[in-house]
Amino acid sequence: MKHKLGNGAYLVTGASKGIGRAITHALAAKGADLILLARGKKSLDTVAKECREKYGTKSIGTYTCDLSDKAQIIRVAKEIQKKHPALKGIIHVAGYALPGYFGKLKPEDFDKSMRTDYLGAVHLTHSLHSIVAEGGLVAFTSSVVGFMGIFGYTAYAGPKFALIGFAESLRQEFIQRKIQVSVLCPPDTETPGYIEENKTKPYETQVLSENAKLMSAEQVAQKFTKKVEKGKFIITCNAESWMFYHLKGIWPSLVFFVIKGIIKKAQKKFNKAR
Ligand SMILES: NC(=O)c1ccc[n+]([C@@H]2O[C@H](COP(=O)([O-])OP(=O)(O)OC[C@H]3O[C@@H](n4cnc5c(N)ncnc54)[C@H](OP(=O)(O)O)[C@@H]3O)[C@@H](O)[C@H]2O)c1
């Protein structure tokens, strides 16, 4: 299955900022009709205007919904279905990371993260999958943290790992309908969400991040479109994430050993400086 992007309506969640906005632009450049979803109306309208002016996109619908709330998902899915009886694809990008030391995170932080990043995508897919056309696309956004747990991301790793397992099962059920399922796993990417995330990153997480190269949202969107059209399931965006994805699969203890070394060195330096 190799999904060809464009010519049809795509629902993009998290379309108003960062990676979702960049993917929306890439879809508009390919002539797709757009259905854009996020919580804030104003920034959605800005992206819709950008696509009309830059690519001449004619059909753009904007929908507000808080994906952490199941009742809102059911309501918005009905609205979307009324206006768009068939979808070429659903691309779930909405999500956020709240890093922090495990003991300092609140119980609600784990609940909200699961409801937004995991259940939000699951319930929206459940409400709309029946109108995805044969040969269509359902794509999710996990993370490098979705296949490799990282210090400071205990609230984020759960939903992002869960998304990959969910997508793996769904992929098999969608074979008959020739619907491609893909999971985007971005590394650190310069976005408004990343700036927010940096505010609560533990020292050790910052040190681990320093070893990774920051990508732009446009670079990630370019990797996404290219690899979707190649029929890829897991979409990594740079050589480092590709290497860790495969190494984690075949030699997880080596990956843990390398990360443990970096964390121990960082903690030693931190304790010395105090
Ligand atoms: N940036 C990175 O380094 C990075 C790395 C790996 C994976 N990712 C993943 O990539 C995705 C996009 O990240 P990003 O950095 O581009 O984020 P971003 O800049 O914060 O943009 C997030 C988008 O999702 C929407 N959104 C957030 N919470 C929502 C909710 N509860 N309901 C509906 N819409 C919601 C936001 O709009 P509103 O605020 O108006 O709702 C916005 O359009 C996320 O799933 C993130 O986990 C990011």
Side-chain angles (χ1 to χ4, degrees):
M1 253 180 289
K2 286 184 184 172
H3 179 83
K4 183 99 184 83
L5 291 162
N7 288 334
Y10 289 83
L11 165 61
V12 186
T13 76
S16 61
K17 294 174 209 154
I19 295 169
R21 175 178 168 271
I23 289 177
T24 300
H25 273 251
L27 287 170
K30 285 180 177 286
D33 294 340
L34 303 172
I35 304 164
L36 311 179
L37 185 149
R39 286 167 303 185
K41 172 99 175 100
K42 209 170 149 199
S43 39
L44 276 178
D45 287 343
T46 305
V47 175
K49 188 167 176 268
E50 288 166 2
C51 292
R52 265 187 221 106
E53 287 175 0
K54 197 164 174 194
Y55 313 101
T57 311
K58 287 203 175 66
S59 173
I60 312 182
T62 55
Y63 295 84
T64 56
C65 169
D66 183 345
L67 289 168
S68 68
D69 180 344
K70 193 160 80 174
Q72 288 196 36
I73 295 174
I74 292 166
R75 189 254 314 146
V76 84
K78 277 188 188 148
E79 277 178 41
I80 291 171
Q81 205 159 352
K82 236 189 225 169
K83 286 221 174 132
H84 309 272
L87 297 178
K88 182 112 185 257
I90 305 175
I91 302 173
H92 301 274
V93 189
Y96 73 101
L98 178 68
Y101 291 106
F102 176 64
K104 294 213 167 136
L105 290 168
K106 296 193 288 296
E108 308 83 82
D109 295 333
F110 297 91
D111 295 351
K112 191 174 172 211
S113 188
M114 206 54 157
R115 283 204 318 274
T116 309
D117 285 49
Y118 176 64
L119 290 174
V122 171
H123 292 313
L124 192 63
T125 306
H126 194 257
S127 303
L128 290 173
H129 77 92
S130 59
I131 61 164
V132 176
E134 186 172 308
L137 170 76
V138 178
F140 300 93
T141 303
S142 177
S143 165
V144 166
V145 181
F147 56 77
M148 193 171 103
I150 304 271
F151 193 111
Y153 286 114
T154 51
Y156 184 62
K160 293 304 193 188
F161 263 73
L163 269 179
I164 295 182
F166 169 72
E168 240 172 55
S169 301
L170 194 67
R171 184 188 190 198
Q172 295 170 24
E173 292 201 26
F174 280 178
I175 293 171
Q176 211 175 20
R177 290 171 60 193
K178 298 188 175 61
I179 293 173
Q180 179 176 323
V181 175
S182 295
V183 187
L184 174 65
C185 296
D188 283 350
T189 307
E190 208 171 354
T191 64
Y194 183 73
I195 293 169
E196 204 49 41
E197 183 185 328
N198 275 336
K199 293 179 185 165
T200 61
K201 252 182 200 171
Y203 173 71
E204 293 86 340
T205 316
Q206 282 173 36
V207 173
L208 286 164
S209 279
E210 277 162 16
N211 288 302
K213 208 170 155 235
L214 199 61
M215 289 185 79
S216 72
E218 289 69 28
Q219 286 171 322
V220 169
Q222 208 178 18
K223 290 284 177 193
F224 174 76
T225 52
K226 205 169 149 191
K227 292 197 177 181
V228 158
E229 292 193 332
K230 282 188 173 168
K232 297 281 181 204
F233 173 58
I234 293 291
I235 299 179
T236 53
C237 301
N238 58 15
E240 195 183 27
S241 337
W242 182 90
M243 190 266 293
F244 272 117
Y245 176 70
H246 291 281
L247 196 59
K248 177 75 199 304
I250 54 171
W251 204 352
S253 56
L254 177 66
V255 174
F256 179 68
F257 181 77
V258 171
I259 292 178
K260 190 169 94 175
I262 298 170
I263 292 168
K264 277 188 148 181
K265 212 168 136 192
Q267 286 174 336
K268 211 169 161 186
K269 196 173 151 197
F270 185 73
N271 290 335
K272 237 186 195 172
R274 276 204 304 185

